[in-house]
Amino acid sequence: MSEQNNDEREITLTVNGKTYRETVETRIHLADFLRLQLKLTGTHLGCEHGVCGACTILVDGEAVRSCLMLAVQANGSDVTTIEGLADGEELTPIQKAFSEHHALQCGFCTSGMIMSLTAYIAENPGADEEAIREAISGNICRCTGYQSIVAAGVAVAAK
Amino acid sequence: MGMRYFGTSVQRQEDKKFLMGQGRYVDDIEFVGMLHGAFLRAEIAHAKINGIDASAAREIPGVHAVYTLDDLGDPYPDKPMTTAYASPLLKQTICQHLLAKDEVCFVGQTVALVVAESRHIAEDALSRIVVDYEPLPAVADCRDALDDDAPPTHLGLESNLVGNFYGKFGDIDAAFAEAAHTFKVDFHEHRGGCHAMECRNIITNYDPGKDETTVYLTTQSPFLIRRLMARYFEEDESKIRVICPDVGGGFGPKNGPYAEEFVLAIVSKQLQRPVKWIEDRREHFVATNTQGDQMWHMEIACEDDGKILGARGRVIHDMGAFVPYGLLLPATSVFPLPGPYALPALDVTLDAVFTNKTCTSPVRGAGRPNAAYAMERLIETVARGLKLDPADVRRRNFVRKDQFPYTTGGTLPSGDPAVYDSGDFHSLLDMALYKAGYPGFKKRQAAARQEGRYLGMGISSCIEDTGFGPYEGVKVKVQPSGKVLLQTGAASQGQGHQTVYSQIVAEELGVNIESIVYQSADTGTVPHGVATAGSRVTANAGPASQAAARLVRKKALKLAAEVLEIDEDDLDIEDGVVRAIPESGRNVNISLGDLSFKLTPLMNGKVPEGYEPELEATSFTSSTGVPHASGSSVAEVEVDVETGEVKLVNYVIAHDCGNMINPMLVDGQIVGGVVHGIGNALFERMVYDENAQPMSMNYGEFLLPIATEMPPIQVLHQETPSPHNELGVKGAGEGGTIPAANAIIAAIENALEPFGVVVNDHPVDPQRICELLDAAQDSASAA
């Protein structure tokens, strides 16, 4: 009930290199906080029950489903979203590989896919196809059939 | 000649924004003063509503309004929606009221709307609305809907029959009388829902000054929705503007219409505020159309060598609770039935029935995957019955290359005869079989069986009628800057329209692809369009893009020739500049931008004599007939006979969509489509209990294909141009999905041949495979 749920807290966190001090409702999950409060709409909500992976972001370098974490839990964290990857107009190798391999169609799962692979390949350079498939097994794509996403991941991991 | 774009794998023009998180979907759009809606939905599949008490919900701070049907005001309590596709075959065209009137007929039906400051508050308020339901018996299974003791799915109905659809040609009685063999087979088909990663989303924004409503919508058919809304509201179409921003997947169910966009249009006007509704995933399972069930009872007549003489049978088709989409699914399940085969006679009757479940409308392929599965089941049944190689049975029955154009004997829903334009089904099958290693497979299979491993290979062949008309409008306009504006009515949900139509225009006009500015799917600004559905856009917007660019080119060359005082034949256009060709001996040029500037003078200027202003053209050129794509798939599986697990080892598809504009994008469509079909074969099952209560409402219970479960998918191409358009193109969006289910199911049956297991129904899960294995062993030991 809203009258019981409008409990608010102040949080401080870094998002894409910028520090924010914000007052947030305790019930708001991190994805809604990023989208509604910080207007970072590149993080998408596909299921809001932690299965589709579209809302995946990095929290202190780890891939996290931002629909399963409350904004208040991110207090003091260093968060990276899809908007924080490119250096100006210069895309990261994974972003470029997605385009080269036609690893996106509608673009809705793409942010989460790229964030999952960014975290995974940083930890596992040289990962093979099976490992890349495993790495994105928590991200659902309805358009591509995954093959092109896996190819993009393998190409970057091999570099 | 300028750059070659047609036929090359140009990287997508639309990618960068998505890669940087700059796509703009409906939920990313905000307006000052925007309110947020949440729908209360029926929790019981069939019930009478004795009353709704929304008073407590209205008390919650931040709630602006709560609407039941009566609260929407006149005329809505007595104005149900209408079907998007009326048909004389519809015996009962029952469509829902925008919000439930006095009865709910499926779980998920819209009952009330809360409008509040935020979505969170609106959802809080939903729980305060009290609905007094009086439960009624429900029909959960379409197989029971026409039973004598079946309850009415709607109060007062005498029968749950929606209507019949027929597929009949040839002399079926003679076919069965003369046949050396006849076989019967029954099978149940279930196809999952939409499950685009973006759910259905809406913003309605009423402008009182203009008396105009703008609808931001995740639809595949902005012009269809505008027309349906205009008709329902008895408004002029200019008063409703439908805009599709970036849309996160469509796959059919986003064609609409849905009650939600109508309700939001009314509410935005009443409150004079923009109103947003974002479907959540749990709602999506029940609120967005799905494709449901079909029960087939079929019989086939053939000769000793497997040559088919005729097929007949009956289909029960689950329509869900209402008919927003007419008989489109039944029609597409029956008319494509002969598939790639020269079938002398067909007699199939489909009973479309109401159930108390979510409404149905096409999901990738519409009824075509069902029809393909049915025909392929018959082929498998013949091959099994006569102990023939299933590949040979297909070869013996395929329409031959020399038979095109081939008239099947059947009719399209339009009433026109079904005519296959071009193809080579034999070579497609051979390509796929060779790539899949079919010739040496039996040996490999036998060796694996020695080790207790059960490998199987299954084949599936199909045709697909693509590119149905009437048109998609395309406008090409060179601007004074030299940039070329390309507008299409066709909405994209990820297919890559911008890239494909830019390729065609860039090549035809002679400009660099980067100079094209693309706009689409906004009924306020772009030429009229129809729908992104049925693999139809490329065979419509493709020819229109080519024709519009050609008209602009012609105008540019004529004007340039006059300006440069040179013969038109001595000019060519390259990189946006009209130049004299070397053979002319002249060295003169003028840019398209400068020509556009001459055609768009301002004050004191003058339009060149004999010209209309603007360097632009609009075309509605489309295909002159139905381009038929075709394909053959071969799947290899390994089945664990202890656990019933099916491992997809390999999948090959040889596909023919005519000339390919962008092979990389075609591969993307085919592979994505195959995976959708794999989901239908093995994973996606919307489960309802006997009271039609949905039981699979999240992605833990309803399984979508994921990366680790997918096999390597190899796509082979054959390009048989369609004679119906100059580009020679056919649709490619659904050709991966249509044949997939039988390839997988037949592969499982082939793997389990030593046990005599026949699967027939899909989807099939490990539990069912174990049951079938147990049953086979029981009957073997009984014998």
Side-chain angles (χ1 to χ4, degrees):
Chain A
M1 301 301 117
S2 68
E3 51 272 12
Q4 289 145 25
N5 278 346
N6 53 13
D7 184 23
E8 292 179 344
R9 300 281 162 81
E10 189 173 273
I11 59 170
T12 304
L13 74 173
T14 306
V15 181
N16 301 331
K18 191 174 162 189
T19 302
Y20 295 85
R21 178 175 292 192
E22 295 279 327
T23 301
V24 61
E25 268 190 77
T26 51
R27 68 168 171 173
I28 297 290
H29 60 56
L30 185 52
D32 270 351
F33 171 75
L34 293 167
R35 291 179 50 82
L36 301 174
Q37 212 152 324
L38 303 190
K39 309 298 177 193
L40 293 170
T41 55
T43 298
H44 300 146
L45 287 160
C47 75
E48 291 187 273
H49 58 268
V51 187
C52 83
C55 67
T56 305
I57 59 169
L58 305 186
V59 177
D60 297 325
E62 301 254 352
V64 162
R65 284 153 209 268
S66 57
C67 77
L68 289 187
M69 184 170 173
L70 294 169
V72 291
Q73 292 177 287
N75 188 28
S77 298
D78 182 12
V79 170
T80 306
T81 69
I82 188 77
E83 290 94 340
L85 291 186
D87 181 5
E89 292 292 300
E90 181 62 22
L91 302 179
T92 66
I94 292 175
Q95 288 172 312
K96 281 184 200 161
F98 263 58
S99 196
E100 285 157 10
H101 292 268
H102 187 30
L104 68 155
Q105 291 184 23
C106 80
F108 200 80
C109 77
T110 307
S111 308
M113 283 284 183
I114 289 176
M115 299 315 285
S116 289
L117 281 173
T118 297
Y120 185 78
I121 293 173
E123 293 278 316
N124 302 278
D128 63 8
E129 183 188 326
E130 198 183 336
I132 294 291
R133 282 191 183 268
E134 193 64 47
I136 58 162
S137 64
N139 293 73
I140 298 175
C141 171
R142 190 62 157 163
C143 296
T144 63
Y146 304 103
Q147 191 154 291
S148 56
I149 299 174
V150 173
V154 169
V156 175
K159 276 179 188 165
Chain B
M1 199 62 216
M3 276 278 290
R4 294 296 302 180
Y5 289 114
F6 191 98
T8 63
S9 292
V10 175
Q11 276 187 40
R12 294 210 316 173
Q13 306 298 298
E14 45 272 82
D15 282 354
K16 195 172 181 185
K17 63 177 176 182
F18 296 126
L19 295 169
M20 297 180 76
Q22 294 168 343
R24 202 153 169 77
Y25 303 86
V26 171
D27 198 18
D28 303 337
I29 298 170
E30 290 189 350
F31 292 104
V32 173
M34 190 167 76
L35 300 175
H36 300 263
F39 283 92
L40 183 74
R41 297 180 182 279
E43 294 168 3
I44 301 173
H46 195 196
K48 216 167 151 256
I49 296 178
N50 289 327
I52 303 175
D53 181 0
S55 54
R58 290 191 172 99
E59 296 303 312
I60 290 179
V63 169
H64 281 245
V66 180
Y67 290 90
T68 63
L69 183 64
D70 286 339
D71 296 316
L72 292 176
D74 286 334
Y76 306 112
D78 296 310
K79 194 164 187 177
M81 297 171 73
T82 52
T83 185
Y85 298 98
S87 161
L89 295 174
L90 282 166
K91 292 195 168 83
Q92 305 189 85
T93 313
I94 304 176
C95 292
Q96 67 198 89
H97 285 78
L98 297 181
L99 298 168
K101 191 172 166 123
D102 37 29
E103 180 187 11
V104 291
C105 296
F106 71 94
V107 171
Q109 187 177 346
T110 49
V111 174
L113 172 75
V114 175
V115 182
E117 286 292 326
S118 75
R119 178 177 159 189
H120 295 79
I121 295 172
E123 288 185 5
D124 290 342
L126 288 184
S127 61
R128 298 289 185 92
I129 302 174
V130 180
V131 183
D132 179 4
Y133 287 118
E134 183 181 326
L136 297 167
V139 174
D141 189 326
C142 66
R143 288 169 285 199
D144 305 332
L146 297 181
D147 288 354
D148 290 340
D149 59 351
T153 48
H154 297 260
L155 280 173
L157 281 199
E158 285 181 10
S159 160
N160 292 318
L161 184 69
V162 178
N164 297 107
F165 196 88
Y166 306 95
K168 290 186 186 189
F169 58 80
D171 186 343
I172 196 72
D173 292 333
F176 275 82
E178 291 162 13
H181 306 276
T182 64
F183 299 100
K184 283 186 176 175
V185 60
D186 298 335
F187 46 92
H188 187 257
E189 296 193 51
H190 172 89
R191 297 195 65 218
C194 169
H195 300 287
M197 282 298 99
E198 182 197 27
C199 290
R200 281 190 301 123
N201 299 329
I202 308 167
I203 300 170
T204 51
N205 191 2
Y206 176 71
D207 181 332
K210 291 182 181 166
D211 185 28
E212 190 181 303
T213 301
T214 304
V215 185
Y216 296 82
L217 191 61
T218 50
T219 185
Q220 298 168 229
S221 311
F223 289 90
L224 170 75
I225 299 301
R226 181 181 68 169
R227 175 146 307 165
L228 292 171
M229 286 184 126
R231 277 194 192 159
Y232 182 84
F233 292 127
E234 297 174 42
E235 284 274 16
D236 186 79
E237 288 192 6
S238 66
K239 295 293 180 192
I240 297 163
R241 179 176 175 186
V242 180
I243 298 174
C244 306
D246 291 321
V247 175
F251 312 113
K254 281 188 183 168
N255 272 297
Y258 288 92
E260 289 92 345
E261 53 251 27
F262 290 71
V263 174
L264 254 69
I266 295 166
V267 167
S268 177
K269 192 169 184 172
Q270 289 190 4
L271 298 177
Q272 304 222 344
R273 296 278 288 267
V275 184
K276 179 188 270 189
W277 170 69
I278 302 299
E279 183 186 57
D280 76 21
R281 186 57 66 180
R282 192 177 158 81
E283 281 183 295
H284 181 87
F285 277 92
V286 290
T288 290
N289 295 348
T290 175
Q291 202 168 321
D293 299 328
Q294 284 183 346
M295 185 66 219
W296 293 69
H297 304 278
M298 293 295 288
E299 196 176 2
I300 187 154
C302 64
E303 295 173 352
D304 287 331
D305 64 354
K307 181 91 179 98
I308 298 169
L309 301 173
R312 66 187 175 195
R314 198 161 192 100
V315 191
I316 302 171
H317 173 96
D318 184 350
M319 292 292 285
F322 297 98
V323 286
Y325 240 68
L327 288 173
L328 215 87
L329 269 177
T332 54
S333 302
V334 172
F335 82 77
L337 258 185
Y341 308 106
L343 192 69
L346 179 76
D347 185 351
V348 172
T349 298
L350 180 147
D351 299 323
V353 299
F354 285 116
T355 58
N356 292 110
K357 297 194 290 190
T358 296
C359 304
T360 58
S361 69
V363 176
R364 203 164 192 167
R368 296 174 189 87
N370 302 71
Y373 188 76
M375 204 56 222
E376 294 303 292
R377 278 290 92 191
L378 291 173
I379 297 283
E380 299 297 334
T381 303
V382 168
R384 191 177 298 115
L386 299 180
K387 298 191 167 37
L388 296 170
D389 180 342
D392 286 338
V393 177
R394 288 179 172 83
R395 289 189 186 104
R396 276 172 207 150
N397 287 287
F398 277 153
V399 173
R400 295 186 317 274
K401 194 178 167 184
D402 58 289
Q403 288 177 291
F404 294 104
Y406 177 79
T407 304
T408 68
T411 37
L412 300 172
S414 63
D416 295 332
V419 182
Y420 298 170
D421 55 331
S422 64
D424 185 343
F425 305 152
H426 289 86
S427 68
L428 274 175
L429 177 61
D430 288 343
M431 282 164 73
L433 290 173
Y434 181 77
K435 188 77 179 176
Y438 190 79
F441 179 68
K442 273 200 164 16
K443 212 169 155 186
R444 200 151 57 83
Q445 186 181 44
R449 280 179 189 166
Q450 292 295 318
E451 300 166 15
R453 292 168 50 232
Y454 292 89
L455 302 181
M457 215 173 247
I459 307 169
S460 190
S461 300
C462 76
I463 52 109
E464 181 192 4
D465 57 299
T466 73
F468 65 83
Y471 55 73
E472 287 294 330
V474 174
K475 183 175 184 175
V476 174
K477 174 171 162 176
V478 180
Q479 307 189 89
S481 66
K483 293 271 185 192
V484 180
L485 184 65
L486 166 58
Q487 294 182 324
T488 73
S492 169
Q493 304 83 44
Q495 295 87 344
H497 290 173
Q498 176 177 354
T499 304
V500 169
Y501 307 117
S502 293
Q503 282 180 259
I504 294 171
V505 169
E507 178 151 332
E508 190 70 35
L509 186 54
V511 300
N512 196 302
I513 198 165
E514 280 79 30
S515 69
I516 292 179
V517 178
Y518 185 76
Q519 295 177 342
S520 75
D522 173 349
T523 63
T525 58
V526 303
H528 206 275
V530 179
T532 300
S535 302
R536 65 175 296 279
V537 178
T538 294
N540 285 284
S545 297
Q546 185 187 37
R550 188 170 288 173
L551 288 168
V552 171
R553 180 184 177 91
K554 209 172 153 191
K555 190 171 181 178
L557 288 173
K558 183 166 182 280
L559 181 60
E562 288 170 21
V563 172
L564 301 174
E565 297 179 337
I566 187 171
D567 197 278
E568 256 184 78
D569 293 339
D570 287 334
L571 292 173
D572 193 10
I573 309 177
E574 200 175 339
D575 285 345
V577 179
V578 188
R579 295 176 196 283
I581 56 173
E583 294 80 0
S584 70
R586 299 269 310 275
N587 184 15
V588 289
N589 66 68
I590 183 167
S591 73
L592 289 175
D594 288 344
L595 291 170
S596 164
F597 191 78
K598 285 180 186 298
L599 289 169
T600 54
L602 298 177
M603 273 182 291
N604 302 325
K606 197 176 158 208
V607 179
E609 204 168 313
Y611 288 84
E612 291 292 317
E614 295 275 29
L615 186 48
E616 69 170 28
T618 299
S619 173
F620 289 86
T621 301
S622 62
S623 289
T624 53
V626 180
H628 280 78
S630 48
S632 273
S633 291
V634 181
E636 183 179 337
V637 302
E638 179 171 346
V639 184
D640 183 327
V641 296
E642 297 301 322
T643 65
E645 187 197 357
V646 175
K647 182 168 186 264
L648 299 170
V649 178
N650 193 26
Y651 194 101
V652 177
I653 176 167
H655 188 257
D656 187 343
C657 60
N659 293 333
M660 293 189 288
I661 300 166
N662 187 320
M664 181 177 78
L665 267 59
V666 172
D667 282 356
Q669 289 297 310
I670 301 297
V671 173
V674 166
V675 168
H676 210 129
I678 290 172
N680 291 153
L682 294 177
F683 301 111
E684 300 174 38
R685 186 198 295 276
M686 190 67 202
V687 181
Y688 287 84
D689 74 6
E690 66 277 13
N691 298 314
Q693 187 69 32
M695 306 297 284
S696 48
M697 295 278 284
N698 62 56
Y699 288 143
E701 296 161 349
F702 180 98
L703 303 180
L704 287 171
I706 58 172
T708 41
E709 311 306 311
M710 291 305 106
I713 298 167
Q714 305 178 72
V715 186
L716 309 172
H717 299 288
Q718 172 176 288
E719 294 182 85
T720 313
S722 174
H724 293 315
N725 58 70
E726 194 184 318
L727 298 168
V729 296
K730 305 172 175 184
E734 297 162 323
T737 308
I738 292 169
N742 187 67
I744 308 277
I745 299 297
I748 295 169
E749 291 169 340
N750 180 242
L752 300 181
E753 202 178 24
F755 305 92
V757 165
V758 179
V759 176
N760 274 339
D761 304 341
H762 77 79
V764 65
D765 57 21
Q767 183 183 335
R768 178 71 186 146
I769 288 172
C770 288
E771 287 166 8
L772 288 166
L773 279 163
D774 288 348
Q777 268 160 0
D778 287 350
S779 69
S781 53

